[in-house]
Amino acid sequence: MKKNLVAFAVAAAVLVPGVALAADSSNADTGPVLYGYGQITASQQFGTNSPEGLVFGAHRVRLGVKGEAVPGVSYNFQYKWDGAYLNSGGLQALSGLGYHGVAGATGVQKVWINFGFVPAFQVKVGKFRVPIGMERVQFSGDNLWFIQRSMNQSLGGDYGAGAEFHSPNVMNTGLYYNLAIMDNHSLNGNNAFYAPGGGVASPLGSPTAAQADVGGVLTNGSGNYLFAGMVGYKLNPLLNVELSGGRIAANHNINPILYAKSVDSWNVGARGGLMGLHYMAEYSHVTSYQGIEGLGAQDWYVAVAANLHQMTLTPDWLDLEPAFRFERFSWTGNNALANLGSGLNNYTIGLNYYVNPNNPHAAEVQLNYIVPSGAGNFRKAYANRDFGAVPANAYIYNTLALQFQAGF
């Protein structure tokens, strides 16, 4: 009986794959690896003359499984809960936790399979992030310098379904590239290429009388796709530069005066650092935002962070990282939204505390205070429920935000 139990245990160990825990969402583990993180955020706005008070909720929650099916074939599946709970139904809750962003959402964040038999020419298929923008592509929600991404979140893509040719390091030269073609029906909302409300605007196809708009996505196809790409160079840790962009053919059959023939977006970014000092800067520009003729937008920011422990100024148990970001967003072109003034500025002062410097994102606390300027017309637009006039992740009131994170 004892021998049978031993034999059964050995067979189980061979036949049943073990599930490991990962400290991040990289693809270095062979898996299957269970990973994820949760973020609890409290936020308080000032100057709104609103009785809402403190907004408290689960900002981002992620749970995923990744691994290597066989040598050269890896996979990743991740589910999301964004804005899973908010204790307020007023302005702050509608606009995220003190900023204007995407409302609470639940669903598959990513699911892809990657064929990497030739490292310099890998192929990924599934749902993944559109390769536009340094911060959007190279940082996940658990390793951002600040609680919220920059406003240029609006000026690129988010996630979509398609195929991508890529390499993170071509023949160990430091050069990398991503070239993707994506189904225009699959794009997540709240970005430059997606028109809110379904089929009346740009990339979602041209409806017919017999085909209805179902859940914001048209049931018929237009034959148009999003083409996006990124090229860059990494000289770790001093310098990482990238140039990326995308283009999608838009539907202009309904009203060729109001809706553009295409949407174009491009981005240039740089980041790096040494001995605890880090910097990052990006410039983003889009024409015919969400397919609207004459409406463009641009955004740029610079950010710096100083990890005091990496600079040997604090001990292990006091891993503090002050950070600062200045950002400017403006609408451009001859559309009415371009008349919102000279632009919206956000000044973000941050402080990050990492409980364990050897695994910083497994447990951390982030404190941000954001001061906007030039927000008057944006506030008026928001008060009139013209939410589209305010870019994603924009703060239009002074806001204090505190976030706790645990990841595995």
Side-chain angles (χ1 to χ4, degrees):
M1 180 67 178
K2 185 175 180 180
K3 292 182 179 179
N4 291 338
L5 290 176
V6 171
F8 177 78
V10 172
V14 172
L15 296 176
V16 180
V19 176
L21 298 182
D24 56 35
S25 57
S26 68
N27 294 316
D29 307 279
T30 57
V33 175
L34 180 67
Y35 70 93
Y37 62 91
Q39 295 173 340
I40 305 300
T41 307
S43 176
Q44 173 67 62
Q45 284 183 317
F46 303 97
T48 63
N49 297 318
S50 171
E52 293 164 353
L54 183 70
V55 171
F56 183 83
H59 186 197
R60 301 183 187 96
V61 180
R62 300 284 191 272
L63 185 62
V65 178
K66 65 185 177 95
E68 190 175 47
V70 296
V73 180
S74 57
Y75 59 88
N76 197 337
F77 172 85
Q78 185 186 89
Y79 203 82
K80 70 174 182 178
W81 295 264
D82 285 344
Y85 172 76
L86 294 172
N87 72 339
S88 172
L91 172 64
Q92 297 184 72
L94 287 173
S95 60
L97 291 170
Y99 61 92
H100 178 67
V102 183
T106 300
V108 176
Q109 178 81 331
K110 67 177 76 169
V111 52
W112 51 256
I113 298 174
N114 186 72
F115 300 89
F117 301 111
V118 181
F121 192 75
Q122 302 184 44
V123 181
K124 179 189 294 183
V125 292
K127 182 182 180 183
F128 48 87
R129 191 178 292 278
V130 177
I132 303 176
M134 174 173 282
E135 185 186 41
R136 289 187 297 268
V137 174
Q138 298 187 11
F139 288 81
S140 63
D142 64 340
N143 63 2
L144 295 172
W145 293 7
F146 304 92
I147 293 175
Q148 204 53 40
R149 279 187 170 89
S150 60
M151 288 183 276
N152 76 8
Q153 176 86 6
S154 298
L155 303 187
D158 194 15
Y159 282 87
E164 178 183 66
F165 303 96
H166 68 102
S167 176
N169 190 355
V170 180
M171 301 180 67
N172 295 318
T173 60
L175 297 172
Y176 61 91
Y177 72 90
N178 304 72
L179 297 172
I181 177 173
M182 314 192 83
D183 179 4
N184 58 1
H185 288 16
S186 69
L187 300 176
N188 283 8
N190 205 49
N191 64 75
F193 303 102
Y194 177 83
V200 294
S202 55
L204 296 180
S206 50
T208 64
Q211 293 173 309
D213 179 3
V214 179
V217 178
L218 293 176
T219 55
N220 65 318
S222 64
N224 298 328
Y225 297 89
L226 169 63
F227 296 90
M230 172 184 289
V231 292
Y233 173 72
K234 286 184 180 180
L235 179 64
N236 291 326
L238 295 175
L239 180 66
N240 176 192
V241 293
E242 65 84 14
L243 175 65
S244 56
R247 178 182 177 88
I248 193 170
N251 171 35
H252 58 98
N253 296 325
I254 301 176
N255 187 337
I257 298 177
L258 179 60
Y259 300 117
K261 295 182 179 181
S262 64
V263 183
D264 300 280
S265 175
W266 65 274
N267 184 92
V268 59
R271 71 182 180 103
L274 184 66
M275 299 180 64
L277 290 174
H278 307 280
Y279 70 89
M280 183 159 58
E282 286 190 88
Y283 174 81
S284 300
H285 188 272
V286 65
T287 59
S288 303
Y289 180 82
Q290 293 186 343
I292 301 175
E293 179 67 29
L295 177 59
Q298 61 184 8
D299 177 86
W300 65 271
Y301 73 85
V302 291
V304 292
N307 189 287
L308 302 183
H309 174 64
Q310 294 177 6
M311 299 170 68
T312 69
L313 298 177
T314 59
D316 288 354
W317 56 270
L318 192 61
D319 187 3
L320 296 175
E321 183 181 65
F324 175 78
R325 178 173 66 195
F326 171 76
E327 181 174 16
R328 180 176 181 82
F329 179 96
S330 58
W331 295 111
T332 62
N334 56 11
N335 186 275
L337 288 181
N339 299 321
L340 289 176
S342 59
L344 173 64
N345 300 331
N346 276 183
Y347 302 82
T348 304
I349 303 170
L351 181 65
N352 304 321
Y353 169 60
Y354 306 110
V355 177
N356 180 0
N358 297 319
N359 193 2
H361 304 299
E364 66 177 276
V365 181
Q366 292 180 287
L367 179 66
N368 287 177
Y369 187 74
I370 305 94
V371 179
S373 66
N377 289 329
F378 289 85
R379 293 174 185 172
K380 292 178 183 178
Y382 195 91
N384 293 330
R385 304 189 68 81
D386 185 8
F387 302 140
V390 184
N393 302 340
Y395 289 82
I396 56 178
Y397 291 96
N398 288 22
T399 304
L400 178 67
L402 178 66
Q403 180 167 276
F404 302 88
Q405 174 176 299
F408 61 90

